[in-house]
Amino acid sequence: GWVLNKAYGIDETGRVVGYGVNPEGAQHAFLWVDGTLTDLGTLGGALSIAKRVNDSGSVVGTSRIASGLHRAFLWQDGTMQDLGTFGGSQGDAFDINAHGQIVGAADTRDDYPHAFLWEDGVLRNLNELIPPDSGWVLNKAYGIDDSGRIVGYGVNPQGLERAFLLTPIPEPSVLALAAVGVAVLLRRASRRRRG
């Protein structure tokens, strides 16, 4: 049988993820649901670790590939998917929210980790989503809530490693629509006062 080494995540329904040694002696990520253990496999290497599971049963973590390097993965419906990198060697996924948004770290071409947000099949460097003159380099994103707020750590403008919290702002098109909606409401209110 399995030897369960570590459990890293649990969802609201009681699904548990982590890693252990399977009956073949390999260290693999697992998903435990109501007493049934599922071996999530790997991306071709000898090791995988599941870090989080959301209420839809989607699992994220890290797995070795055939070369021995590790990559961030998303496991859904029996299939493990490599989330890629920013041209570098390695990556790791740390959290997934109810909307399927995933955060973690992926190496750039110089093998320096950058925090990422993966959604709708696209890996996005969080450093490209903050003001370019901020002076920050966001290295790893460890958590994301259902509102899209992201926490992690990076290097601040003084060169010090510090925690960060990113809060999403509405898209400009949404703001424009909200402004138009407010303008229409104001016009209607002023017409009523005159009449």
Side-chain angles (χ1 to χ4, degrees):
W2 274 79
V3 175
L4 303 182
N5 296 100
K6 291 187 180 177
Y8 283 103
I10 186 169
D11 74 358
E12 293 299 319
T13 67
R15 293 182 185 101
V16 176
V17 295
Y19 76 91
V21 178
N22 69 14
E24 290 78 39
Q27 186 174 311
H28 282 192
F30 71 80
L31 171 65
W32 181 86
V33 182
D34 296 327
T36 301
L37 209 59
T38 301
D39 185 334
L40 302 186
T42 72
L43 292 170
L47 159 75
S48 60
I49 300 170
K51 306 263 176 93
R52 293 289 183 270
V53 59
N54 70 7
D55 292 344
S56 300
S58 299
V59 179
V60 297
T62 186
S63 173
R64 289 217 174 118
I65 57 176
S67 67
L69 298 172
H70 64 272
R71 296 286 175 83
F73 75 76
L74 167 63
W75 183 92
Q76 284 180 304
D77 303 320
T79 302
M80 186 178 283
Q81 173 184 353
D82 185 338
L83 299 184
T85 68
F86 299 118
S89 302
Q90 303 191 98
D92 198 351
F94 298 111
D95 201 8
I96 183 170
N97 68 12
H99 309 294
Q101 296 172 304
I102 301 167
V103 294
D107 288 349
T108 55
R109 287 185 189 9
D110 59 359
D111 284 334
Y112 188 72
H114 278 208
F116 74 71
L117 170 66
W118 186 93
E119 62 182 335
D120 300 325
V122 178
L123 185 70
R124 301 174 74 186
N125 189 329
L126 287 177
N127 290 284
E128 295 173 2
L129 302 178
I130 61 173
D133 59 351
S134 72
W136 276 83
V137 176
L138 307 179
N139 297 119
K140 294 189 178 184
Y142 285 120
I144 183 166
D145 69 9
D146 292 342
S147 301
R149 291 177 295 204
I150 299 170
V151 296
Y153 83 88
V155 177
N156 71 10
Q158 292 74 40
L160 303 172
E161 201 170 86
R162 293 291 187 258
F164 69 77
L165 165 64
L166 299 179
T167 302
I169 56 173
E171 293 290 328
S173 59
V174 174
L175 289 175
L177 289 174
V180 169
V182 170
V184 169
L185 289 174
L186 289 175
R187 267 190 251 129
R188 286 181 185 159
S190 65
R191 284 184 193 145
R192 279 191 214 121
R193 273 187 245 131
R194 287 186 204 140

